[in-house]
Each structure stands twice: as C-alpha cells, then as structure tokens.
Amino acid sequence: MRCPFCQNEDTQVVDTRSNPEANVIRRRRRCAKCDKRFTTYERVELRLPRLIKKDGSRTDYDRDKLVGSMMLALRKRPVATEAVDAAVDRIEEKLRSLGEREVQTGRVGDLVMRELARLDKIAYIRFASVYRSFETPDDFREAVQEVKSPRRRRRAT
C-alpha cells in the first residue's frame, strides 16, 4: 500500500479490525518513511445493479456519488461519518438483495430518504426538497409532517 502523503510503498499495518456485518476490514497503517498514519478499508466487491435514470439512460452505481449527496444534505449537521458509511452500507445491501441487474434511480432515492430520516430529520428535509423538486412552502410543510408522523412517511415511500 502506497503512503498517501509521501508516496512511499513501504507501509506497515499497525492495527486490523473486521466488521463482519458490513463485510469490511479496517486497517491502520504507518509509513516507514514519513511516519504518518492512515486508514485503509478492504471491502468485498460485489456487483451492484446499474441505475436507470429518469430520462431512460443507464449508468453504473457510484458509492462516492451517493455518499456525496448524503453528505451535502448532512452538511453542518451533527452526524458522524461512520453513521453515514453504515447507512450507505445498508442501502447497498438492500440494492444487492433485490437481485435485479438494473434499478430505477427513484428506488435508490427512496432508500436514501429512509436512511436520512433515521440519521437526521433536517437532512431528510433538505434531501427531499431537491429529490422531490419542492416548489412551494406547502411542499416543505408536507415533508415536515412526514418527519413528525413516521406512519405517513412509510406509506409515501
């Protein structure tokens, strides 16, 4: 593993932790040259379904894009990065469990909204305002009511 700071290829594993639920191995590494530490993650690479966009075009699933959109909704909110990673892991697991080769992006959006509702209500509203293309204050009011009443939100998704 190459050091991200000095590009030296001589790094040592200092600590290894396994997370069987997410099929991830976390390794703390130390560079032999600059002595800086960094973390790497090993995860099983399983094929996720391709995504069908609203316009009918198809694209590959991109974890970084999903994390980025969730982090944008969670900007300046008190939610740990580990919680976001766990939420993305749950979304990916649900996508894999569908057993489909292609999935509508709307399905992914619904899964993201469900996870954001669990993580942070404000982030849920932020994401919903873009995802559902809110145009009036009433749209926001309805989304706030969904957050206040979980039964209604479950039926809507």
Side-chain angles (χ1 to χ4, degrees):
M1 176 61 59
R2 187 181 303 239
C3 173
F5 304 104
C6 71
Q7 304 306 312
N8 182 32
E9 291 194 24
D10 186 17
T11 62
Q12 300 170 335
V13 175
V14 179
D15 181 40
T16 300
R17 293 193 184 174
S18 177
N19 182 348
E21 293 172 8
N23 290 326
V24 175
I25 296 176
R26 175 185 174 269
R27 297 190 195 279
R28 287 292 294 159
R29 296 177 179 268
R30 185 182 61 80
C31 176
K33 183 177 178 184
C34 69
D35 205 38
K36 291 190 178 178
R37 292 175 182 244
F38 59 98
T39 303
T40 60
Y41 294 91
E42 293 178 22
R43 100 177 53 248
V44 175
E45 188 173 331
L46 298 172
R47 277 260 190 227
L48 285 160
R50 286 181 48 87
L51 303 178
I52 305 171
K53 294 183 174 186
K54 290 179 185 176
D55 67 3
S57 65
R58 283 153 170 79
T59 185
D60 290 330
Y61 170 83
D62 184 354
R63 182 183 175 95
D64 293 335
K65 188 173 179 180
L66 182 63
V67 170
S69 65
M70 290 180 73
M71 292 302 283
L72 185 60
L74 288 160
R75 187 169 178 227
K76 295 187 179 183
R77 299 298 302 156
V79 177
T81 304
E82 293 81 16
V84 176
D85 288 337
V88 172
D89 288 341
R90 285 189 296 273
I91 291 169
E92 289 179 345
E93 183 58 36
K94 287 175 186 167
L95 289 173
R96 273 190 218 97
S97 70
L98 294 174
E100 298 176 19
R101 295 181 75 188
E102 295 182 328
V103 174
Q104 297 282 338
T105 54
R107 184 84 180 258
V108 178
D110 292 341
L111 294 172
V112 170
M113 287 186 51
R114 194 170 299 141
E115 289 296 332
L116 285 174
R118 289 174 61 186
L119 291 175
D120 186 87
K121 305 300 184 207
I122 300 300
Y124 170 84
I125 302 285
R126 287 177 178 170
F127 187 86
S129 71
V130 175
Y131 177 64
R132 293 184 183 165
S133 303
F134 287 2
E135 294 180 8
T136 67
D138 289 334
D139 296 334
F140 280 95
R141 201 171 294 116
E142 287 175 23
V144 169
Q145 287 304 314
E146 288 176 17
V147 170
K148 286 182 176 179
S149 134
R151 284 187 202 137
R152 186 171 174 198
R153 184 184 68 244
R154 279 192 210 118
R155 275 189 252 133
T157 56

